[in-house]
Amino acid sequence: MRFELTTSPLQTVRCDLAALPVSAPGSLGGHAAVFDRGSGGRLQAFATDEGFTGARGQTVLVQSPEAPARRILLVGTGDAGTTEDLRQYAAVVVRRARDLRCGRVLLLTASDPAASGPAPDERVRAVAEGAGLGVYRFDRYRSEAGEPFPAEIAICCGEDRGGALSRALEVGEITVRAVSQARDLVNEPPNVLTPTALAIVAQEIADRDGLDCKVLDLDEARALGMGLFAAVAAGSNEPPRFIVLEYRPEAQRASGAPVPMVALVGKGITFDSGGLAIKSPDKMWRQKADMGGAAAIVAAIGALRALAAPVRVLGVIAAAENMISGSATRPGDIVRSLSGKTVEILNTDGEGRLVLADGLSYAARARPDVIIDVATLTAAAAAALGSRTAALMGTDQPLIDRLLRAAELGGEQLWQLPLYDEFRDAMRGDLADLKNTSFGSDGGGAEKAAAFLQQFVGATPWAHVDIGRAAFTVEPDALPYLSSGGTGYGVRTLLRYLAA
């Protein structure tokens, strides 16, 4: 799909579909009024007859075979006027355009050019993201792949002062590619996307963008002291991979001058059976998505060179399978971590926090300015916040505030939860320094998991993003730009944070 910006008068743009965003209560003002006047008022009359109210996602299609735009689509955007409204508007349009087999589509960045609201560059970026994400398909295993409709997207905008809108469009396209790559990784079947395959993807990104990449095998990880990582991988025939990616800004590569360093740590469990604490079989197939945090980090780092991100980024991915065999870790085993702390493994289905613990310790040794981990860690996060919202916890409020703002700009839902002393106390071991779970019905599962992870970051400012079920959806149309499967959650937030 190809994007372009256009400043031509709307009524002169030739296209198969002109999509007009209309806010509640559905009266055709602004840009829509131009088309309405051109139709002698018939467009408004038709919308009224159809009961069009401008509610978000509501549409009315009108044929106009004699006009430059062969069809006109009225799309409700609600009454909020946010960039997320525009993101969803664009996704609604491209999905409808695909059904109509439209080759060229005109999208607007505002219902009224005189309206206040987000800056013009943010509007362009949101529309590009919504359109690009809306046409996403994962059909590589289908015998017949769908046709690529629409082929061209023309985005109507104002004057491009200093190229700001062109850059916003470019950034939107880069973001779409990164999110789509994360979705692809999550959607791959677990017999294809193994820890080794994920390491190959990371190496390909490094080779393409001039990044440093190091991949440790099981023996190397054990030699370093990663007992928790090795314990999780013990039950699988698939060898684990501990992946380290590093991006350095061009200026630092040239001069060697120090720049702020962010460490990203991702949970990369490419399939999670639960180990000996085996999961319920009816939903186990979804556990291929247990590497959603790793997918988001790998894809985000792969976009940093194109975005010219100004910070140094260290990506640490602990990739393994959690399986069942005679060599699998048993409930009750005690294992020593890379940090030296010992952990009593009471529940083998609490494997994510184990691999993350060694990943966080490894990242902390590099002395970054901040550490952020992203993981499909608990069902408790979804129980508290729903399936589209991730939980955020950490030790540094300025870092947390920046991530919350980044998520808001990126259109991802993120909510802060507390880390009280009682959660840390609950993770103290009876026979070892720590235990990997706290059985009981007193709740706080997401917070206790985070409190466990906190023991491995030292004094480094740290934030934990528990993407729970937000990384994967079984709803066919959870949002206009989300189909069932991997969502790529976290990529937009990370890119907003890293490339600001």
Side-chain angles (χ1 to χ4, degrees):
M1 187 168 65
R2 186 173 67 86
F3 286 90
E4 67 176 60
L5 295 178
T6 179
T7 57
S8 301
L10 295 180
Q11 63 272 29
T12 68
V13 178
R14 293 191 173 276
C15 57
D16 297 306
L17 183 68
L20 311 179
V22 181
S23 59
S27 56
L28 305 189
H31 292 304
V34 174
F35 283 84
D36 187 43
R37 286 193 296 272
S39 69
R42 291 192 299 272
L43 190 58
Q44 177 68 78
F46 188 75
T48 301
D49 290 344
E50 291 292 306
F52 182 72
T53 65
R56 181 188 281 183
Q58 187 182 20
T59 62
V60 172
L61 181 66
V62 180
Q63 301 289 336
S64 57
E66 297 179 0
R70 295 178 55 213
R71 305 176 186 88
I72 297 172
L73 185 69
L74 304 179
V75 183
T77 58
D79 56 8
T82 66
T83 51
E84 178 62 12
D85 293 323
L86 288 173
R87 205 174 278 113
Q88 294 192 30
Y89 144 77
V92 167
V93 173
V94 294
R95 286 190 170 190
R96 192 67 182 274
R98 184 176 61 198
D99 294 339
L100 295 169
R101 301 173 66 84
C102 297
R104 179 174 167 81
V105 175
L106 174 66
L107 293 175
L108 279 60
T109 60
S111 57
D112 188 338
S116 60
D121 59 330
E122 288 289 348
R123 291 178 180 274
V124 168
R125 180 172 177 176
V127 168
E129 288 176 358
L133 297 175
V135 296
Y136 173 84
R137 286 181 174 179
F138 187 78
D139 54 12
R140 67 184 55 177
Y141 296 103
R142 294 184 180 276
S143 300
E144 297 181 4
E147 295 185 68
F149 287 105
E152 296 181 11
I153 298 289
I155 299 179
C156 179
C157 63
E159 183 180 353
D160 189 9
R161 299 179 186 273
L165 301 187
S166 296
R167 178 56 178 167
L169 176 60
E170 180 185 9
V171 169
E173 292 185 89
I174 292 168
T175 301
V176 166
R177 289 196 294 271
V179 175
S180 297
Q181 181 176 40
R183 293 168 82 171
D184 282 348
L185 290 172
V186 171
N187 285 330
E188 285 286 1
N191 61 318
V192 173
L193 204 283
T194 61
T196 299
L198 186 58
I200 291 172
V201 171
Q203 186 63 63
E204 289 173 346
I205 289 172
D207 294 342
R208 181 194 70 196
D209 291 346
L211 312 181
D212 295 327
C213 183
K214 177 168 61 177
V215 179
L216 306 180
D217 62 22
L218 181 58
D219 289 339
E220 292 170 315
R222 279 179 172 150
L224 285 177
M226 296 184 191
L228 300 181
F229 176 67
V232 171
S236 177
N237 290 331
E238 284 289 342
R241 293 290 182 263
F242 193 87
I243 306 161
V244 184
L245 267 175
E246 187 169 0
Y247 161 83
R248 295 174 184 263
E250 289 292 347
Q252 188 193 32
R253 294 173 73 192
S255 67
V259 296
M261 179 180 178
V262 177
L264 303 178
V265 181
K267 175 186 173 183
I269 302 298
T270 58
F271 189 77
D272 179 19
S273 71
L276 293 178
I278 190 167
K279 291 180 178 290
S280 172
D282 60 330
K283 297 179 181 178
M284 194 187 294
W285 65 274
R286 302 182 193 177
Q287 296 308 312
K288 67 177 186 176
D290 211 18
M291 39 64 68
I297 289 173
V298 168
I301 291 178
L304 296 181
R305 185 72 66 202
L307 292 173
V311 295
R312 179 181 170 193
V313 179
L314 178 71
V316 177
I317 305 298
E321 283 189 340
N322 185 26
M323 300 293 282
I324 300 171
S325 72
S327 61
T329 295
R330 298 162 291 259
D333 284 358
I334 295 178
V335 182
R336 188 173 299 277
S337 68
L338 177 60
S339 73
K341 292 183 174 69
T342 55
V343 178
E344 188 174 5
I345 302 174
L346 300 183
N347 185 350
T348 61
D349 195 23
E351 84 299 330
R353 62 202 70 182
L354 299 177
V355 299
L356 281 173
D358 278 345
L360 289 167
S361 295
Y362 184 95
R365 289 184 176 185
R367 297 185 177 179
D369 294 279
V370 299
I371 299 176
I372 303 167
D373 75 77
V374 185
T376 51
L377 204 62
T378 68
L385 301 173
S387 59
R388 297 181 197 168
T389 304
L392 176 62
M393 290 155 275
T395 59
D396 186 78
Q397 194 59 45
L399 170 60
I400 287 172
D401 290 341
R402 282 192 61 193
L403 285 170
L404 289 171
R405 177 58 177 162
E408 180 183 6
L409 290 171
E412 294 185 315
Q413 295 176 178
L414 187 61
W415 194 260
Q416 184 179 0
L417 296 178
L419 270 183
Y420 297 133
D421 289 343
E422 65 199 67
F423 300 131
R424 289 187 287 273
D425 293 342
M427 304 308 291
R428 290 176 180 167
D430 298 321
L431 303 177
D433 297 325
L434 299 165
K435 54 189 176 185
N436 79 324
T437 192
S438 174
F439 291 113
S441 58
D442 53 346
E447 294 92 334
K448 291 173 183 175
F452 176 87
L453 297 179
Q454 185 183 350
Q455 309 310 307
F456 299 92
V457 298
T460 307
W462 161 74
H464 162 62
V465 184
D466 186 343
I467 60 179
R469 292 178 186 151
F472 191 88
T473 179
V474 295
E475 299 177 60
D477 296 295
L479 287 171
Y481 51 78
L482 291 182
S483 52
S484 58
T487 66
Y489 186 98
V491 174
R492 286 180 280 160
T493 295
L494 290 175
L495 292 184
R496 286 283 185 166
Y497 175 84
L498 296 169

